[in-house]
């Protein structure tokens, strides 16, 4: 009787209607349970069938072995299989929830065009997983479900010259060798797949065991709030030794879940830190400058300003903090009467456009004379990436000093013009720097007006043409040019027309020399008259 019952179970197994419950009953009644289980697997050969005891794979058919050989590493046998199948089949339970007594459960493919299904049959600690056609007779079971399963899991071939079984191996080798962290999460937001680089980083952080599945999250915050498509988010990993590494993380949504890509950002972080330190150094330097600095970016929005700008222009910090445009900035200066009020506002706006163009080429430099005696020197300079910078320098004191100096020079010139003596000033280089009105009247010449005749010896040619003792003229010139000679020199010379001139040379501060001429007598028709 027992033999007849066993024959009935074997018949059921041959027809494909064999269940785990029947298999367990057969194993319990059989004198050798393991042999009975393996015998059933052999009878199911040609189908893609896995048989588990708990999480341990007891046996599988030949097509299933082909699929098993290409499963990703990490976790136990049951986790590896379900990690692969869950990305392709809808509502597949978690490996921890598959051991549920009851009728067989079927799960269809997520893609309606894929006519495949997963059948789960469980009893006690046993689980049978079958990868079968969607309907009986739709595909020949003897054609090998493993190759179809690999095709379903891996998707379309990326190369017509590579078989699907080889393609999966190549793809896995490529992803594991990639220098970026790759991982996938399922609809429960648990990691269902990760490449070797991710697992290596996780092991370095925690010293954990790679066989524990699912692996821990390296970037928990990214999972709860993933970056938007086309953007990245910075994440950091702190290792057991205290070292930190940064990664730029990208996320892609798909029907199979979320795919994450984390690329090392150590070099980018170093560059950003260097740039940050450089900006901080510049900011500290600019803070101590007495020159007002304002920089506008390529969009002509205010990007940087220093405290001196606030002190000079007395603009509110609130206004500068909202990053006004260049035109808004200049309009505010006009409102504060920090730019001369234009008569033609339209023409003034055109000047502003020209100011921007000149600053971009580095040729803008003007002096703004403002009411109240304030004077600014405004310089425009181009900066990298299309930015421009303006320097505001208060030169009111400098201009006041210059004006006072010019006024003193004009007073000195007026005083010399009021003197009857003909005076010529020669600087230390032997060049004529000034002459008074009496000199111009006496010699009928203005040595300052000439461009070529400016040297003392050239001017002295007009003296010699009047005649007189050449030795006296030579002595006058020598007394002027000799730096180590006497502080003063006096002489007299009589010209060809009878004029007698008293000549003198006197040293001045700064290396200049004063030469003076004064007429002693003049010849008239009635005789000689004193000058």
């Amino acid at each position: 009787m027992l033999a007849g019952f066993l024959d009935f179970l074997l018949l059921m197994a041959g027809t494909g209607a064999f269940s785990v419950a029947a298999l367990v009953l057969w194993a319990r009644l059989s004198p050798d349970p393991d042999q009975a289980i393996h015998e059933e697997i052999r009878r199911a050969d040609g189908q893609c069938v896995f048989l588990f005891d708990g999480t341990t794979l007891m046996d599988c058919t030949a097509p299933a072995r082909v699929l098993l050989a290409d499963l990703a590493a990490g976790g136990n046998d049951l986790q590896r299989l379900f990690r692969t199948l869950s990305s392709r089949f809808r509502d597949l339970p978690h490996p921890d929830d598959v051991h549920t007594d009851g009728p067989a459960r079927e799960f269809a493919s997520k893609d309606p065009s894929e006519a495949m299904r997963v059948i789960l049959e469980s009893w006690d600690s046993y689980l049978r997983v079958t990868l079968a056609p969607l309907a009986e007779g739709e595909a020949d079971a003897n054609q090998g479900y493993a190759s179809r399963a690999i095709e379903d899991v891996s998707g379309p071939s990326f190369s017509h010259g590579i078989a699907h079984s080889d393609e999966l191996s190549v793809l896995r080798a490529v992803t594991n060798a990639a220098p970026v962290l790759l991982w996938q999460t399922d609809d429960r937001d648990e990691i269902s797949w990760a490449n070797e680089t991710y697992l290596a980083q996780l092991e370095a952080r925690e010293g954990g065991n790679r066989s524990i599945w699912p692996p821990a999250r390296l970037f928990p915050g990214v999972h709860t709030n993933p970056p938007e498509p086309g953007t990245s988010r910075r994440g950091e990993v702190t290792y057991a030794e205290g070292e930190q590494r940064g990664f730029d993380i990208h996320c892609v949504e798909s029907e199979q879940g979320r795919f994450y890509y984390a690329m090392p950002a150590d070099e980018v972080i170093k560059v950003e830190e260097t740039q940050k330190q450089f900006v901080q150094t510049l900011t500290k330097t600019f803070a101590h400058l007495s020159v007002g600095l304002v920089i506008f970016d390529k969009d002509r929005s205010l990007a940087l300003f220093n405290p001196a700008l606030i002190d000079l222009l007395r603009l509110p910090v609130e206004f500068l903090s909202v990053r006004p445009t260049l035109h808004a900035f200049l309009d505010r200066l006009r409102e504060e009467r920090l730019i001369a009020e234009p008569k033609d506002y339209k023409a003034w706006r055109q000047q502003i456009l020209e100011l921007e163009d000149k600053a971009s080429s580095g040729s803008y430099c003007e002096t703004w004379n403002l009411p109240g005696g304030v004077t600014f020197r405004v310089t425009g300079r181009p900066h990298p990436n299309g930015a421009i910078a303006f320097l505001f320098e208060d030169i009111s004191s400098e201009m006041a000093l210059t004006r006072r100096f010019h006024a003193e020079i004009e007073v000195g010139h007026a005083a010399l013009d009021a003197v009857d003596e003909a005076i010529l000033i020669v600087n230390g280089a032997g060049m004529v720097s000034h002459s008074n009105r009496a000199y111009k009247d006496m010699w009928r010449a203005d040595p300052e007006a000439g461009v070529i005749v400016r040297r003392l010896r050239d001017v002295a040619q007009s003296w010699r043409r009047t005649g007189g003792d050449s030795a006296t003229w030579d002595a006058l010139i020598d007394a002027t040019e000799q730096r180590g000679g006497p502080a003063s020199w006096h002489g007299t010379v009589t010209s060809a027309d009878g004029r007698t001139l008293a000549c003198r040379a006197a040293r001045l501060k700064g290396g200049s020399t004063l030469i003076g001429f004064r007429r002693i007598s003049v010849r008239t028709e009635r005789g000689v008259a004193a000058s």
Side-chain angles (χ1 to χ4, degrees), residues 197 226 403 428 438 476:
T197 308
R403 285 191 289 267
L476 174 60

Side-chain angles (χ1 to χ4, degrees), residues 372-394:
V374 178
T375 304
F376 286 156
R377 179 187 293 123
V378 184
T379 307
R381 289 289 182 267
H383 268 237
N385 300 323
I388 57 175
F390 288 96
L391 302 174
F392 291 83
E393 184 178 2
D394 187 354

Side-chain angles (χ1 to χ4, degrees), residues 58-87:
M58 297 179 62
D59 205 349
C60 62
T61 60
R65 291 191 187 96
V66 177
L67 177 59
L68 187 65
D70 286 320
L71 294 180
N76 54 49
D77 297 333
L78 186 62
Q79 291 173 338
R80 293 173 59 207
L81 176 62
F82 271 70
R83 190 164 65 249
T84 301
L85 297 180
S86 61
S87 63

Side-chain angles (χ1 to χ4, degrees), residues 101 270 272 289 308 355 364-365 371 379 403 409 442 464 484 486 524 530:
D101 295 344
K270 289 180 181 179
E272 291 176 350
L289 289 179
L355 178 149
Y364 181 80
C365 184
T379 307
R403 285 191 289 267
I409 292 177
M442 177 180 290
R464 295 182 185 275
T524 63

Side-chain angles (χ1 to χ4, degrees), residues 405-419:
F405 179 71
H406 287 168
E408 292 177 356
I409 292 177
E410 291 176 358
V411 170
H413 289 174
L416 289 178
D417 289 339
V419 176

Side-chain angles (χ1 to χ4, degrees), residues 237-274:
V237 177
T238 303
Y239 301 96
E241 298 80 5
E243 179 189 1
Q244 283 189 340
R245 289 194 62 187
F247 295 85
D248 287 331
I249 305 169
H250 300 260
C251 178
V252 177
E253 297 278 354
S254 69
E255 294 181 358
Q256 292 76 29
R258 289 174 178 166
F259 291 94
Y260 292 89
Y261 308 84
M263 294 174 286
D266 297 334
E267 295 300 324
V268 177
I269 292 176
K270 289 180 181 179
V271 172
E272 291 176 350
E273 186 63 27
T274 301

Side-chain angles (χ1 to χ4, degrees), residues 228-348:
E228 295 293 331
T231 63
S232 64
R233 182 165 300 165
R234 182 65 53 78
E236 291 185 350
V237 177
T238 303
Y239 301 96
E241 298 80 5
E243 179 189 1
Q244 283 189 340
R245 289 194 62 187
F247 295 85
D248 287 331
I249 305 169
H250 300 260
C251 178
V252 177
E253 297 278 354
S254 69
E255 294 181 358
Q256 292 76 29
R258 289 174 178 166
F259 291 94
Y260 292 89
Y261 308 84
M263 294 174 286
D266 297 334
E267 295 300 324
V268 177
I269 292 176
K270 289 180 181 179
V271 172
E272 291 176 350
E273 186 63 27
T274 301
Q275 184 180 13
K276 182 179 178 181
Q277 293 177 356
F278 179 70
V279 172
Q280 290 177 347
T281 302
L282 288 181
T283 303
K284 292 179 181 178
T285 303
F286 294 156
H288 294 87
L289 289 179
S290 59
V291 178
L293 171 67
V294 58
I295 298 178
F296 295 88
D297 59 22
K298 62 179 180 180
D299 298 323
R300 297 301 177 258
S301 295
L302 193 149
L304 178 68
F305 64 92
N306 68 339
L309 184 77
I310 302 175
D311 297 336
L312 290 175
L313 304 182
R314 302 190 182 281
L315 295 177
V317 178
E318 295 78 9
F319 169 73
L320 299 175
S321 300
V322 297
R323 302 187 61 194
T325 63
L326 174 59
H327 286 180
F329 176 79
L330 294 174
D331 285 340
R332 186 60 180 263
L333 293 184
R334 176 174 172 267
E335 293 174 3
E336 300 291 338
R337 302 187 65 186
L338 295 173
I339 293 180
E341 182 68 24
K343 296 181 180 179
D344 186 350
Y345 185 76
K346 184 177 180 181
W348 181 81

